[in-house]
Amino acid sequence: MRFLPTDEQLAFVRSLDALLSAADTPTVARAWAAGDPAPGRALWSRIAGSGVLALAVPEAYEGVGPLPVELALAFVELGRHAAPGPLVETVAGAVLVAALNEPALAEHLLPGIASGGLLLSLHTPGTGPYALDADAADRLLVVDHGDGDGDGLALRIAAGHGPVRASVDPVRRLSVPGTGGEVVAAGPDVAAAVRQATDWARLVTAAQALGVGLALLERTVAHVRQRSQFGAPIGSFQAVKHRLADTLIALEFARPLVHGAALTLAAADVAAAKTAAGEAAYAAARTALQLHGAVGYTDELDLSLWLRKARPLRDAWGTPAQCRAAVLEGSAPARA
């Protein structure tokens, strides 16, 4: 088992970092939050052009994957730069469709996902009432109990969605999926595919949360170096150093868990990574808020873009309690 990225993987990360740094992602995120998806769609195309979305798509459908390690590394960068859009949901949707072994459906959706021409949202049971960014998505995939006549799940392409609702993170646009729409798969295979897609969603959400936490820490360190009190930078105070050190330790503890989960893709490993990264990012947000003197909550400061992501990412695709239960379930000895 190798926990350190290869030189090729590091070069991919640097390339994605440079792309996102040049894209002015805070401005793109603010436009997305205001309901203008055009700059976000342009950025989406550039992200896809770098190969990120193809990492979730099998080679048979014009992808290069599935490559969970590279995807996890990419999502750390997407979190660091606050890239908007249903990136997690699109990856999970690609995994779900690929796992169904429905060639016609896969041919219909997966090449578009890999190229960046098709933006998905996905809603599955147990993830709350809302779908993410359905108003900007080209397809809204919904998994539910279909017509209710059977015990199994059905996958349908929803015909629409309800009004957009406010979220803790303004960049996350929430709406209730509409009823009806074409049922494209049903039966036991759907439930198995949803479990697989959920593991992938948790993995890349964990990586995204790690990136958000790193961004918050970087900006907070820069702030305490320049803000002075009593004639000295506040970063020189011991209490501030300890708070930042605790934040760094939590994030660096989560990083190998994310890498390890990407290697094994075991449900318990993924849940552990999601818990650690989500909690570390949320702790980083609390530290950033305190050390910025609460000014981070103001909309004018870009820090708010990351600050408001931390808690929703911690709870998305499995709350900490749900993920801890999954860890315990995966660690329990098999019953005879």
Side-chain angles (χ1 to χ4, degrees):
M1 183 175 293
R2 180 182 175 85
F3 285 96
L4 293 175
T6 64
D7 291 342
E8 185 178 11
Q9 290 167 339
L10 290 174
F12 170 62
V13 168
R14 286 194 293 269
S15 172
L16 184 58
D17 176 42
L19 183 157
L20 294 168
S21 296
D24 188 13
T25 48
T27 299
V28 175
R30 291 182 189 282
W32 190 275
D36 176 12
R41 292 296 299 246
L43 176 61
W44 189 281
S45 295
R46 296 183 66 186
I47 291 171
S50 71
V52 172
L53 298 175
L55 296 170
V57 176
E59 292 184 17
Y61 299 102
E62 303 181 20
V64 297
L67 294 173
V69 174
E70 284 75 6
L71 260 178
L73 294 172
F75 269 75
V76 172
E77 293 307 306
L78 294 172
R80 279 188 64 233
H81 290 276
L87 291 154
V88 171
E89 287 68 24
T90 295
V91 166
V95 172
L96 173 65
V97 170
L100 287 172
N101 196 26
E102 296 277 355
L105 178 64
E107 189 62 42
H108 177 59
L109 296 177
L110 294 182
I113 293 174
S115 68
L118 188 65
L119 191 154
L120 283 187
S121 186
L122 172 66
H123 183 262
T124 61
T127 56
Y130 301 116
L132 180 68
D133 295 323
D135 59 318
D138 301 302
R139 299 284 189 281
L140 170 56
L141 302 184
V142 177
V143 178
D144 55 20
H145 291 281
D147 57 12
D149 291 339
D151 295 332
L153 297 174
L155 173 66
R156 61 185 171 88
I157 300 176
H161 59 85
V164 174
R165 308 290 182 90
S167 169
V168 173
D169 176 6
V171 183
R172 294 170 62 87
R173 299 174 61 81
L174 308 177
S175 56
V176 176
T179 58
E182 180 187 4
V183 175
V184 293
D189 288 348
V190 175
V194 168
R195 287 194 293 273
Q196 187 172 341
T198 298
D199 286 339
W200 281 70
R202 286 181 174 179
L203 172 67
V204 292
T205 301
Q208 196 175 19
L210 177 60
V212 166
L214 292 171
L216 287 165
L217 180 61
E218 290 167 7
R219 282 158 178 77
T220 304
V221 169
H223 177 74
V224 300
R225 281 176 171 165
Q226 68 177 9
R227 182 186 171 195
S228 296
Q229 194 171 39
F230 308 120
I234 63 172
S236 63
F237 301 155
Q238 199 71 1
V240 172
K241 290 180 178 178
H242 286 175
R243 190 73 187 266
L244 292 171
D246 288 343
T247 302
L248 176 62
I249 289 170
L251 291 168
E252 291 306 319
F253 176 76
R255 190 194 298 270
L257 293 181
V258 173
H259 291 179
L263 285 168
T264 69
L265 275 180
D269 293 346
V270 172
K274 172 72 169 50
T275 302
E279 296 285 23
Y282 187 45
R286 296 199 305 271
T287 298
L289 180 63
Q290 181 180 19
L291 297 185
H292 278 80
V295 71
Y297 260 138
T298 60
D299 285 337
E300 291 78 8
L301 193 66
D302 283 347
L303 183 79
S304 66
L305 294 173
W306 289 272
L307 200 68
R308 293 176 178 177
K309 285 186 179 305
R311 185 163 185 172
L313 285 176
R314 186 192 67 165
D315 296 336
W317 292 99
T319 64
Q322 291 170 329
C323 288
R324 288 190 177 98
V327 173
L328 290 174
E329 184 179 349
S331 303
R335 295 182 178 178

